Amino acid sequence: MSIWLCYDVGKVCMISIWEKGINVTASNIVLVGFMGTGKSTVGKQLAEQLGWIFQDSDAALEQEHQTSISDLFRVHGESHFRALESKALEHILARKGQVVATGGGAVLAESNRACMLQNGFVVALKASPEIIIQRVSSDTSRPLLQGNLEERVHLLLEQRKSAYDFAHAVIDTTQLTTDEITALIIQQAEI
């Protein structure tokens, strides 16, 4: 069973997808999406509004391993990084009352998607390729964007075009303010 709700606020249409059999819980809010879609910015503000803890899974990994995500990729490779990411996500989501911003590729593992769905209300943030490129253009710390930025963004977006479809709600952040996005998430999560 799917319910499609569209909120036309003059500049965006938000679509919520509910799947039968999924136990939706708002004990955590999990933000997924491609890099540059606003997960950290929105997550921090949302946590502040709710009086919850904000957790960034990439920041938690960097703190635990005392190195940057770029160095983890460079030294150990992507598959090792993804295994570390899965463990960190499972550990983070064992707690409640959090807004969790995941790394953009965390959704690639089925076990991560299941963990997110079991332990929170999952919101996928999306944005146009042009906005993503604009938002990440000055960030040289993203290992998957090395080389031609526009080409890499378009290639990764194509590869991940349905990777975020499992989320309970999808919000296009292209033309929305952080306040508008957090209000939509609170409304959808019924907090």
Side-chain angles (χ1 to χ4, degrees):
M1 179 178 151
S2 293
I3 300 173
W4 298 78
L5 302 171
C6 187
Y7 299 92
D8 185 359
V9 291
K11 51 184 168 176
V12 72
C13 183
M14 186 191 126
I15 301 173
S16 298
I17 305 170
W18 301 89
E19 296 182 33
K20 187 176 181 179
I22 292 177
N23 182 18
V24 177
T25 175
S27 59
N28 290 308
I29 294 178
V30 182
L31 303 177
V32 300
F34 196 77
M35 59 190 93
T37 56
K39 297 181 302 289
S40 294
T41 303
V42 169
K44 288 174 188 173
Q45 181 170 319
L46 183 59
E48 185 177 312
Q49 285 183 2
L50 296 173
W52 288 9
I53 295 168
F54 173 71
Q55 290 281 355
D56 182 302
S57 64
D58 282 348
L61 271 174
E62 289 178 333
Q63 183 177 355
E64 180 180 346
H65 296 280
Q66 295 297 297
T67 190
S68 68
I69 298 299
S70 296
D71 285 345
L72 284 171
F73 259 80
R74 185 178 48 76
V75 173
H76 301 288
E78 185 174 359
S79 62
H80 181 74
F81 168 77
R82 295 295 175 204
L84 295 174
E85 180 178 56
S86 293
K87 286 181 186 176
L89 190 58
E90 186 177 335
H91 179 74
I92 290 168
L93 288 174
R95 298 182 299 267
K96 308 266 184 250
Q98 306 171 106
V99 176
V100 180
T102 65
V107 299
L108 300 176
E110 174 61 36
S111 60
N112 290 349
R113 294 189 303 268
C115 183
M116 291 179 215
L117 288 170
Q118 183 178 356
N119 294 292
F121 182 80
V122 183
V123 180
L125 302 182
K126 294 191 175 189
S128 71
E130 297 75 25
I131 291 296
I132 290 171
I133 292 165
Q134 179 184 333
R135 290 176 182 170
V136 302
S137 64
S138 61
D139 187 348
T140 59
S141 69
R142 298 179 187 267
L144 291 178
L145 293 184
Q146 301 308 307
N148 181 313
L149 178 63
E150 289 184 29
E151 186 178 292
R152 293 294 298 154
V153 166
H154 284 284
L155 175 66
L156 288 168
L157 284 172
E158 179 60 28
Q159 289 173 347
R160 297 179 184 177
K161 66 181 172 187
S162 60
Y164 307 104
D165 292 348
F166 74 100
H168 297 110
V170 177
I171 300 175
D172 186 341
T173 66
T174 301
Q175 296 183 32
L176 294 177
T177 67
T178 305
D179 288 338
E180 291 169 325
I181 298 164
T182 56
L184 285 170
I185 293 171
I186 289 169
Q187 178 185 4
Q188 284 300 298
E190 297 179 357
I191 297 174

